[in-house]
């Protein structure tokens, strides 16, 4: 198993970086989020939602469109991302159900000020967090009793060390947690009843906590 490379910066730094991320990311959104959107529909996860590290806001808009019952508070530590996402959501007329807020998932006071949610979710962000245990503990507390937490991220697959080239995608994968590492951080943050599933040949992983009694 190749060792994990820590990310240099937690947020996406600067307007140019944020725009570049959005441009690149836009090409893959349909495919990338498919397993997650399917899970949310299948498990009936909806209602008051909190998205952590929402980036350009594509997913929040997709969820709001797919599910008229969803009311989403979407937070990001990067002011540039919050700016981009606010514009994106407004252009699509979804601003009454998607609220963008600047803030750090690791800041307990800030997270508590947001209230409690039926569903707390996050995509491709966990491996960026400087204090994953602190962020995850805040996320656990942000889910109401009986609510659910759904995380979706890259997985540092064991065969990465056999890949004979570098490149942006491989570097990003090297920054990701393996499933056992992710489970261990979740447990340290106080989570129990964790289900981790792999997607797309194991390159992506999802974590579901809660949604007890719902068919899995
Ligand atoms: C790779 S991007 C993923 C964006 C989006 N969720 C997606 O699916 O494309 C990671 C995002 O997490 C945000 N982020 C990193 N650390 C954070 C923290 N502690 N609190 C809130 N957002 C954070 C970054 O600013 C960035 O927008």
């Amino acid at each position: 198993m190749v060792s994990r490379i820590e990310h240099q910066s937690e947020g996406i730094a600067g307007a140019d970086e944020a725009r570049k991320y959005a441009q690149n990311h836009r090409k893959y959104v349909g495919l990338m989020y498919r397993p997650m959107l399917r899970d949310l529909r299948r498990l009936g996860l909806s209602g008051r939602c909190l998205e952590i590290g929402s980036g350009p806001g594509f997913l929040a808009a997709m969820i709001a469109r797919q599910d008229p019952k969803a009311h989403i508070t979407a937070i990001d530590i990067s002011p540039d991302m919050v700016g981009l996402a606010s514009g994106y959501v407004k252009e699509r007329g979804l601003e009454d159900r998607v609220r963008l807020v600047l803030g750090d998932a690791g800041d307990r006071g800030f997270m508590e000020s947001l209230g409690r949610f039926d569903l707390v979710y996050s995509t491709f962000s966990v491996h960026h967090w400087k204090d994953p245990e602190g962020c995850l503990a805040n996320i656990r507390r942000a889910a109401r009793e009986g609510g659910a937490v759904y995380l979706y991220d890259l997985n540092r697959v064991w065969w990465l060390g056999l890949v004979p080239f570098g490149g942006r995608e491989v570097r990003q994968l090297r920054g990701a947690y393996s499933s056992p590492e992710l489970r261990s951080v979740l447990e340290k943050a106080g989570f129990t009843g964790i289900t981790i599933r792999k997607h797309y040949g194991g390159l992506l992983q999802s974590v579901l906590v809660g949604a007890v009694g719902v068919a899995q």
Side-chain angles (χ1 to χ4, degrees):
M1 168 70 71
V2 286
S3 54
R4 179 166 181 262
I5 307 170
E6 194 73 40
H7 269 271
Q8 298 300 307
S9 66
E10 188 165 39
I12 302 276
D16 280 352
E17 272 297 300
R19 260 196 305 276
K20 245 190 265 167
Y21 178 86
Q23 267 164 15
N24 191 43
H25 194 60
R26 204 171 191 150
K27 299 178 217 153
Y28 308 108
V29 283
L31 189 67
M32 256 180 346
Y33 297 130
R34 195 173 294 159
M36 171 178 179
L37 292 173
R38 203 189 302 129
D39 277 349
L40 298 192
R41 269 197 305 268
R42 187 172 60 89
L43 298 166
L45 298 177
S46 178
R48 254 174 71 74
C49 303
L50 174 63
E51 177 168 344
I52 310 290
S54 45
F58 299 157
L59 179 62
M62 283 169 96
I63 291 178
R65 274 192 171 152
Q66 154 176 311
D67 176 8
K69 292 197 299 278
H71 283 78
I72 304 168
T73 298
I75 72 153
D76 202 288
I77 202 171
S78 154
D80 299 301
M81 280 303 198
V82 171
L84 269 186
S86 303
Y88 186 80
V89 161
K90 199 155 183 218
E91 276 165 29
R92 278 147 193 85
L94 295 165
E95 68 273 25
D96 55 334
R97 287 194 297 122
V98 182
R99 180 172 75 108
L100 276 305
V101 183
L102 178 65
D104 178 357
D107 178 340
R108 183 167 177 173
F110 163 69
M111 287 289 280
E112 284 180 350
S113 76
L114 298 172
R116 300 187 80 198
F117 296 84
D118 302 306
L119 170 66
V120 187
Y121 67 89
S122 182
T123 60
F124 304 110
S125 189
V126 175
H127 67 284
H128 284 269
W129 301 342
K130 284 229 156 59
D131 173 17
E133 204 179 309
C135 290
L136 287 167
N138 290 338
I139 285 173
R140 183 174 53 75
R141 285 186 285 263
R144 69 160 172 82
E145 216 181 310
V149 172
Y150 191 102
L151 308 171
Y152 190 68
D153 203 357
L154 303 169
N155 174 27
R156 204 176 76 255
V157 282
W158 67 266
W159 47 260
L160 211 57
L162 307 177
V163 176
F165 49 85
R168 194 165 178 271
E169 282 74 20
V170 173
R171 270 201 313 280
Q172 285 188 348
L173 275 169
R174 292 231 23 208
Y177 294 100
S178 66
S179 298
E181 287 165 350
L182 187 54
R183 180 180 290 279
S184 158
V185 191
L186 283 156
E187 284 171 354
K188 282 190 196 138
F191 281 102
T192 53
I194 303 159
T195 304
I196 299 186
R197 289 170 53 228
K198 309 277 173 60
H199 309 275
Y200 293 127
L203 288 171
L204 302 185
Q205 57 185 329
S206 63
V207 172
L208 173 69
V209 183
V212 179
V214 184
Q216 303 229 354

